[in-house]
Amino acid sequence: MVHSRNGSGLTRSLGKIAVLAGLGLSLGAPIVGCATEALEVEAEDVGSLGLKLEVADGVTLQTVTYKITKGDYQKSGTIDVKDAPTISAKIGGIPAGNGYTIELSSSSVPDGIAFTGSAQFNVTAGGTTSVSVRLRGAGTSKNGSVNVSGTLNVAPVIDELTVTPLSVFVGGEVTLRAVAVDPDQGPSSLTYYWSTTEGVIDDPLSPTAKLTSQSPGTALVKLTVSDGETITTSETSVTFVAREASSGAEPPDSDPPNILLIIADDLGSEAVSLYPDLAGNSGQVPIPNIENLAEQGLVFDTVWASPMCSPTRGTIISGLYGYRTGVTTAGSVLPTDTVTVFDRITADSPSNYGQALFGKYHLAGNSSTNLQHVRDLGIPVFRGYMGATLGNPFNWTAVDINGPSQFIPDYAATALTDFSVDYIREHESTRPNDPWFVWLAHSQVHQSSNYVPPEHLHSVDVGNLRVGQQSNTTVVYKAAIQSLDTEIGRLLEDVDLEKTTVIFIGDNGTVASLKDPGSGVRDGKTSVYEGGVRVPLVIAGKGVTRRGREDALVTSTDLYATILELAGIQVGHINNSYSLKPLLTDESASTGRTHSFTELSNGTTNRRYALRDTRYKLVVNLQERGLYDLVADPLERNNLYSSPAHAAVLASLQAEIAELKVHGPAYFP
């Protein structure tokens, strides 16, 4: 509150009402006025009105007349503006109250065009109110007109969407038929795009197509019609029914499983023998222990991670895409207020889980000492290393949030396996009735950690290279993969699969220079093409009654909801995460995911991202734009982005990006 001193002592200064027409800085102008006041008021109960007006260039005013009215109250006067660069005035002594009207009038010189305007306003003692007054000229001397020409594009109309039958046996055909019209016949010819969450559509760009599926389940079928500028969509569901009921299901088990998450570094799908169709010229190295695990569960065929390690770890621990946490490249720092999978298990699981993380962390930037960050993410036990790599895997230091750092003379894959085995044994000895969750993040087969492994861990011929020698070559990369498999096998010897659900995943694609020539994916790590984001995923053990392969769309975010549901926390779909748990027992189940998304950036710069449905993929790689048919063109060689025939496909994927933007920062996408 502002006070001023007068003859009778301190009194509150009068409130001001600003009445604006245009915007201008003001200098004082002489005011002449009078008032007929029906109300008697004290100084405390009155306010002032400030006028600031600005007229168009070329309009000259000599005076502005004002009249303020409310019931019997009237105040009027003139403002001399002939010598003022802007029109301004302060009109005081107005009683506090609501429902005042101010009327302004003036005439321009020399042409005498009359300008008038009015507005309603209130006066609050000690307050300030802004009111806008628009002065309108009655003549035409200073008025003009603008001719605007253009067209209004009317969206296509889907007159008919026929899907028959809506329920069919697995292997049967569903006929899709659409009829659409474009009321304004433009700007381009209509294009069609049928998409589905299950099965295969034979001709997705035709108004008439066939849908088939080799597995039971409910498919969401969506039609997008584009005129090159606007789109119209319609969707329906089709159910594929198994001819014979599955006998693989087991009665539900109320006891929660132990959960073992194993993350392999820089391991793309094409490097793993579980995906023989993607193998390069020299073939894939045998991994008998992971292969044996896969035989006892499910191999997922269409899995995306982020193109680098920190973003993938951020998606798993939070269930959020990187743009929502800020973890969009290697070395990004995950905010400590993120609700992590460890937080949720501690707070919400009906079981008293023991939890631990061993190995690579890399969620606190490139710091090697910020152990408080680990604690802040709700991780009670951590032993490993903080940054991108541990350097020489034969000579490294493990940090521990519950004890001193320790020099480790053992090969890293062996030591991290030992850490995990020791924890599991101690937990099961001291807390036999409580389950455990172990997150094991191996340094293998990270490029900078590719030293020739101990001979007893692999059978790869590395030539004249000696054990412990660093060599970033494909042959040593394969030896590292096999040594990792050997140590995973040793760990699984201590794990009871009747009590434990095991999840094995790669954190990003293979480094391009280490890829086997001729492999079935484009590019490698740091790329949003398939070679950078397509990774292996196996889930086996307790609660996994299905065997074989699953082609549902999966991203690394989905492990968040999956782990929570395994731990007894019912979430289904949370954040950007869809639980895979229904797929583990029911071939006809769906997660609800219709599109996968991945990205790599430095926030607002160097942005790369991709989004796909079950067939088509949109790629933004810095300034390049791409659209690829992953069924007909798995190597992403034929860019369809500018293809008129694929306008509806492109529009459909861009609409999904727009949906993601709702929860994104200003720069996204």
Side-chain angles (χ1 to χ4, degrees):
M1 184 179 297
V2 180
H3 293 84
S4 60
R5 183 174 297 277
N6 59 23
S8 60
L10 286 174
T11 61
R12 184 181 302 161
S13 65
L14 303 179
K16 297 180 180 179
I17 306 297
V19 180
L20 307 175
L23 177 64
L25 298 175
S26 61
L27 298 176
I31 304 175
V32 177
C34 62
T36 301
E37 303 191 26
L39 301 174
E40 293 185 4
V41 295
E42 299 292 333
E44 288 275 333
D45 298 320
V46 297
S48 299
L49 182 147
L51 290 178
K52 295 182 182 179
L53 309 177
E54 188 172 77
V55 296
D57 291 341
V59 176
T60 302
L61 302 178
Q62 294 284 349
T63 60
V64 174
T65 300
Y66 68 87
K67 182 169 70 173
I68 299 170
T69 58
K70 176 193 173 188
D72 294 332
Y73 177 86
Q74 179 175 305
K75 190 178 187 75
S76 60
T78 59
I79 308 170
D80 184 356
V81 296
K82 63 179 181 296
D83 296 321
T86 59
I87 306 167
S88 61
K90 178 179 178 180
I91 306 170
I94 305 172
N98 298 334
Y100 285 95
T101 298
I102 182 169
E103 298 175 356
L104 302 176
S105 62
S106 185
S107 296
S108 63
V109 292
D111 46 8
I113 301 300
F115 289 83
T116 60
S118 64
Q120 301 288 318
F121 68 98
N122 301 327
V123 175
T124 303
T128 301
T129 304
S130 295
V131 180
S132 177
V133 179
R134 182 185 298 273
L135 297 183
R136 295 179 174 85
T140 59
S141 63
K142 298 300 179 182
N143 295 332
S145 61
V146 177
N147 289 325
V148 180
S149 61
T151 59
L152 175 65
N153 183 22
V154 180
V157 176
I158 299 175
D159 278 344
E160 177 186 338
L161 176 67
T162 301
V163 179
T164 56
L166 291 175
S167 181
V168 64
F169 284 119
V170 168
E173 286 189 348
V174 176
T175 299
L176 311 176
R177 183 174 184 272
V179 176
V181 295
D182 190 357
D184 55 2
Q185 302 295 309
S188 301
S189 299
L190 291 183
T191 57
Y192 294 76
Y193 174 46
W194 297 96
S195 62
T196 178
T197 57
E198 303 281 346
V200 176
I201 296 174
D202 65 342
D203 190 359
L205 306 185
S206 171
T208 302
K210 300 287 187 181
L211 167 66
T212 58
S213 178
Q214 300 307 312
S215 60
T218 299
L220 178 65
V221 179
K222 182 177 181 179
L223 171 67
T224 301
V225 181
S226 172
D227 64 2
E229 190 173 86
T230 60
I231 65 171
T232 301
T233 64
S234 183
E235 58 186 40
T236 189
S237 296
V238 175
T239 301
F240 290 92
V241 181
R243 292 185 180 273
E244 297 180 1
S246 172
S247 59
E250 297 177 357
D253 188 344
S254 60
D255 292 333
N258 304 314
I259 304 168
L260 174 60
L261 170 64
I262 304 173
I263 303 175
D265 219 335
D266 288 5
L267 185 64
S269 293
E270 89 293 336
V272 180
S273 59
L274 302 176
Y275 303 89
D277 292 345
L278 303 179
N281 297 339
S282 64
Q284 296 154 322
V285 65
I287 46 172
N289 295 293
I290 297 174
E291 291 167 359
N292 181 60
L293 180 70
E295 290 175 359
Q296 301 177 67
L298 277 180
V299 177
F300 290 80
D301 287 323
T302 316
V303 183
W304 274 8
S306 298
M308 292 190 80
C309 49
S310 295
T312 293
R313 292 160 208 276
T315 62
I316 295 173
I317 204 169
S318 71
L320 293 164
Y321 292 138
Y323 71 86
R324 296 186 65 182
T325 62
V327 183
T328 55
T329 191
S332 297
V333 179
L334 183 70
T336 54
D337 61 357
T338 303
V339 179
T340 69
V341 66
F342 293 93
D343 291 326
R344 287 296 308 270
I345 290 176
T346 298
D348 300 325
S349 175
S351 301
N352 185 24
Y353 270 84
Q355 301 185 84
L357 192 157
F358 299 111
K360 180 173 178 174
Y361 184 67
H362 211 200
L363 289 170
N366 293 313
S367 169
S368 61
T369 59
N370 188 9
L371 293 177
Q372 186 57 43
H373 190 274
V374 183
R375 300 184 185 97
D376 290 342
L377 294 191
I379 301 170
V381 175
F382 168 70
R383 195 178 185 197
Y385 62 101
M386 296 291 293
T389 177
L390 47 68
N392 187 335
F394 291 90
N395 181 7
W396 61 288
T397 298
V399 296
D400 191 330
I401 61 171
N402 297 311
S405 299
Q406 183 180 3
F407 170 74
I408 306 296
D410 297 326
Y411 186 58
T414 300
L416 294 177
T417 299
D418 289 342
F419 295 170
S420 302
V421 169
D422 290 345
Y423 174 84
I424 292 169
R425 289 178 178 177
E426 180 181 1
H427 179 93
E428 293 183 345
S429 173
T430 58
R431 298 170 55 184
N433 297 321
D434 293 334
W436 48 261
F437 167 43
V438 169
W439 172 313
L440 171 58
H442 276 286
S443 59
Q444 272 78 1
V445 283
H446 194 283
Q447 178 185 21
S448 59
S449 296
N450 280 338
Y451 291 66
V452 178
E455 292 179 351
H456 69 280
L457 295 180
H458 72 96
S459 60
V460 177
D461 183 0
V462 296
N464 296 324
L465 296 173
R466 67 182 185 279
V467 173
Q469 182 177 348
Q470 185 176 20
S471 176
N472 287 319
T473 57
T474 301
V475 66
V476 174
Y477 175 69
K478 290 185 175 183
I481 293 173
Q482 199 171 72
S483 68
L484 173 64
D485 177 76
T486 301
E487 289 297 348
I488 288 175
R490 186 165 68 88
L491 171 60
L492 293 179
E493 290 176 357
D494 260 78
V495 172
D496 185 350
L497 291 184
E498 293 186 357
K499 297 181 179 180
T500 306
T501 307
V502 180
I503 304 171
F504 171 78
I505 191 172
D507 74 343
N508 51 247
T510 305
V511 174
S513 62
L514 300 180
K515 277 177 55 186
D516 193 5
S519 63
V521 289
R522 176 178 173 178
D523 289 359
K525 178 180 178 178
T526 74
S527 165
V528 293
Y529 292 103
E530 291 297 284
V533 301
R534 190 167 173 184
V535 296
L537 174 63
V538 176
I539 304 181
K542 182 173 182 177
V544 185
T545 60
R546 289 181 60 197
R547 300 292 182 266
R549 309 190 78 89
E550 171 59 57
D551 63 359
L553 295 178
V554 176
T555 75
S556 53
T557 57
D558 295 336
L559 296 192
Y560 181 81
T562 303
I563 292 170
L564 292 183
E565 290 219 319
L566 289 172
I569 306 168
Q570 301 304 311
V571 292
H573 170 212
I574 182 173
N575 300 339
N576 301 118
S577 181
Y578 293 80
S579 174
L580 306 179
K581 188 171 182 284
L583 302 179
L584 306 182
T585 58
D586 185 356
E587 186 181 8
S588 65
S590 171
T591 67
R593 177 175 290 283
T594 60
H595 295 79
S596 292
F597 175 79
T598 187
E599 67 177 321
L600 182 70
S601 75
N602 294 322
T604 59
T605 61
N606 298 319
R607 291 198 54 73
R608 300 174 174 89
Y609 65 85
L611 180 135
R612 67 162 296 175
D613 60 18
T614 56
R615 179 156 189 162
Y616 287 94
K617 176 179 178 181
L618 172 65
V619 173
V620 175
N621 184 31
L622 301 178
Q623 302 305 314
E624 299 176 6
R625 301 289 187 271
L627 178 67
Y628 301 95
D629 181 346
L630 293 177
V631 173
D633 178 30
L635 285 172
E636 301 169 277
R637 290 171 172 165
N638 183 22
N639 189 350
L640 305 171
Y641 191 87
S642 299
S643 165
H646 292 81
V649 179
L650 179 61
S652 174
L653 297 179
Q654 289 174 330
E656 293 299 324
I657 292 291
E659 289 291 323
L660 294 179
K661 184 176 176 62
V662 172
H663 299 290
Y667 68 78
F668 184 84

